[in-house]
PDB file of all heavy atoms in Angstrom:
ATOM      1  N   LEU B  20     -13.420  13.202 -30.099  1.00  0.00           N
ATOM      2  CA  LEU B  20     -13.305  11.837 -29.596  1.00  0.00           C
ATOM      3  C   LEU B  20     -14.666  11.296 -29.184  1.00  0.00           C
ATOM      4  O   LEU B  20     -15.022  10.149 -29.479  1.00  0.00           O
ATOM      5  CB  LEU B  20     -12.345  11.800 -28.408  1.00  0.00           C
ATOM      6  CG  LEU B  20     -12.094  10.406 -27.861  1.00  0.00           C
ATOM      7  CD1 LEU B  20     -11.223   9.610 -28.811  1.00  0.00           C
ATOM      8  CD2 LEU B  20     -11.431  10.474 -26.499  1.00  0.00           C
ATOM      9  N   LEU B  21     -15.432  12.143 -28.508  1.00  0.00           N
ATOM     10  CA  LEU B  21     -16.756  11.720 -28.038  1.00  0.00           C
ATOM     11  C   LEU B  21     -17.635  11.337 -29.228  1.00  0.00           C
ATOM     12  O   LEU B  21     -18.312  10.297 -29.223  1.00  0.00           O
ATOM     13  CB  LEU B  21     -17.402  12.845 -27.229  1.00  0.00           C
ATOM     14  CG  LEU B  21     -18.721  12.493 -26.551  1.00  0.00           C
ATOM     15  CD1 LEU B  21     -18.503  11.398 -25.506  1.00  0.00           C
ATOM     16  CD2 LEU B  21     -19.339  13.717 -25.884  1.00  0.00           C
ATOM     17  N   ILE B  22     -17.591  12.175 -30.269  1.00  0.00           N
ATOM     18  CA  ILE B  22     -18.409  11.894 -31.460  1.00  0.00           C
ATOM     19  C   ILE B  22     -17.949  10.587 -32.108  1.00  0.00           C
ATOM     20  O   ILE B  22     -18.775   9.736 -32.471  1.00  0.00           O
ATOM     21  CB  ILE B  22     -18.325  13.076 -32.451  1.00  0.00           C
ATOM     22  CG1 ILE B  22     -19.049  14.286 -31.854  1.00  0.00           C
ATOM     23  CG2 ILE B  22     -18.943  12.696 -33.807  1.00  0.00           C
ATOM     24  CD1 ILE B  22     -18.818  15.591 -32.566  1.00  0.00           C
ATOM     25  N   ALA B  23     -16.625  10.393 -32.201  1.00  0.00           N
ATOM     26  CA  ALA B  23     -16.100   9.153 -32.781  1.00  0.00           C
ATOM     27  C   ALA B  23     -16.596   7.946 -31.991  1.00  0.00           C
ATOM     28  O   ALA B  23     -17.027   6.938 -32.575  1.00  0.00           O
ATOM     29  CB  ALA B  23     -14.570   9.191 -32.791  1.00  0.00           C
ATOM     30  N   CYS B  24     -16.573   8.057 -30.666  1.00  0.00           N
ATOM     31  CA  CYS B  24     -17.024   6.940 -29.819  1.00  0.00           C
ATOM     32  C   CYS B  24     -18.505   6.661 -30.046  1.00  0.00           C
ATOM     33  O   CYS B  24     -18.928   5.502 -30.140  1.00  0.00           O
ATOM     34  CB  CYS B  24     -16.784   7.249 -28.348  1.00  0.00           C
ATOM     35  SG  CYS B  24     -15.040   7.258 -27.911  1.00  0.00           S
ATOM     36  N   ILE B  25     -19.297   7.734 -30.121  1.00  0.00           N
ATOM     37  CA  ILE B  25     -20.732   7.550 -30.314  1.00  0.00           C
ATOM     38  C   ILE B  25     -21.006   6.867 -31.649  1.00  0.00           C
ATOM     39  O   ILE B  25     -21.845   5.960 -31.739  1.00  0.00           O
ATOM     40  CB  ILE B  25     -21.469   8.912 -30.218  1.00  0.00           C
ATOM     41  CG1 ILE B  25     -21.427   9.408 -28.768  1.00  0.00           C
ATOM     42  CG2 ILE B  25     -22.921   8.781 -30.699  1.00  0.00           C
ATOM     43  CD1 ILE B  25     -21.950  10.808 -28.575  1.00  0.00           C
ATOM     44  N   VAL B  26     -20.267   7.282 -32.681  1.00  0.00           N
ATOM     45  CA  VAL B  26     -20.452   6.665 -34.004  1.00  0.00           C
ATOM     46  C   VAL B  26     -20.124   5.171 -33.940  1.00  0.00           C
ATOM     47  O   VAL B  26     -20.884   4.328 -34.438  1.00  0.00           O
ATOM     48  CB  VAL B  26     -19.574   7.366 -35.064  1.00  0.00           C
ATOM     49  CG1 VAL B  26     -19.555   6.572 -36.370  1.00  0.00           C
ATOM     50  CG2 VAL B  26     -20.076   8.789 -35.304  1.00  0.00           C
ATOM     51  N   ILE B  27     -19.011   4.838 -33.301  1.00  0.00           N
ATOM     52  CA  ILE B  27     -18.621   3.425 -33.204  1.00  0.00           C
ATOM     53  C   ILE B  27     -19.700   2.621 -32.477  1.00  0.00           C
ATOM     54  O   ILE B  27     -20.115   1.550 -32.934  1.00  0.00           O
ATOM     55  CB  ILE B  27     -17.264   3.282 -32.470  1.00  0.00           C
ATOM     56  CG1 ILE B  27     -16.153   3.881 -33.323  1.00  0.00           C
ATOM     57  CG2 ILE B  27     -16.967   1.808 -32.149  1.00  0.00           C
ATOM     58  CD1 ILE B  27     -14.811   3.972 -32.639  1.00  0.00           C
ATOM     59  N   VAL B  28     -20.171   3.156 -31.347  1.00  0.00           N
ATOM     60  CA  VAL B  28     -21.197   2.436 -30.585  1.00  0.00           C
ATOM     61  C   VAL B  28     -22.478   2.314 -31.424  1.00  0.00           C
ATOM     62  O   VAL B  28     -23.112   1.247 -31.452  1.00  0.00           O
ATOM     63  CB  VAL B  28     -21.486   3.144 -29.242  1.00  0.00           C
ATOM     64  CG1 VAL B  28     -22.673   2.492 -28.537  1.00  0.00           C
ATOM     65  CG2 VAL B  28     -20.253   3.085 -28.340  1.00  0.00           C
ATOM     66  N   ALA B  29     -22.829   3.390 -32.145  1.00  0.00           N
ATOM     67  CA  ALA B  29     -24.044   3.351 -32.972  1.00  0.00           C
ATOM     68  C   ALA B  29     -23.931   2.256 -34.040  1.00  0.00           C
ATOM     69  O   ALA B  29     -24.885   1.496 -34.267  1.00  0.00           O
ATOM     70  CB  ALA B  29     -24.276   4.715 -33.623  1.00  0.00           C
ATOM     71  N   VAL B  30     -22.763   2.169 -34.669  1.00  0.00           N
ATOM     72  CA  VAL B  30     -22.555   1.121 -35.681  1.00  0.00           C
ATOM     73  C   VAL B  30     -22.721  -0.256 -35.051  1.00  0.00           C
ATOM     74  O   VAL B  30     -23.375  -1.149 -35.605  1.00  0.00           O
ATOM     75  CB  VAL B  30     -21.153   1.262 -36.331  1.00  0.00           C
ATOM     76  CG1 VAL B  30     -20.816   0.031 -37.172  1.00  0.00           C
ATOM     77  CG2 VAL B  30     -21.090   2.527 -37.170  1.00  0.00           C
ATOM     78  N   LEU B  31     -22.151  -0.419 -33.848  1.00  0.00           N
ATOM     79  CA  LEU B  31     -22.251  -1.708 -33.160  1.00  0.00           C
ATOM     80  C   LEU B  31     -23.707  -2.037 -32.813  1.00  0.00           C
ATOM     81  O   LEU B  31     -24.127  -3.190 -32.879  1.00  0.00           O
ATOM     82  CB  LEU B  31     -21.385  -1.707 -31.895  1.00  0.00           C
ATOM     83  CG  LEU B  31     -19.871  -1.716 -32.151  1.00  0.00           C
ATOM     84  CD1 LEU B  31     -19.091  -1.532 -30.852  1.00  0.00           C
ATOM     85  CD2 LEU B  31     -19.445  -3.000 -32.847  1.00  0.00           C
TER      86      LEU B  31
END
Side-chain angles (χ1 to χ4, degrees):
Chain B
L20 183 73
L21 186 64
I22 291 168
C24 290
I25 290 172
V26 169
I27 293 172
V28 173
V30 169
L31 290 173

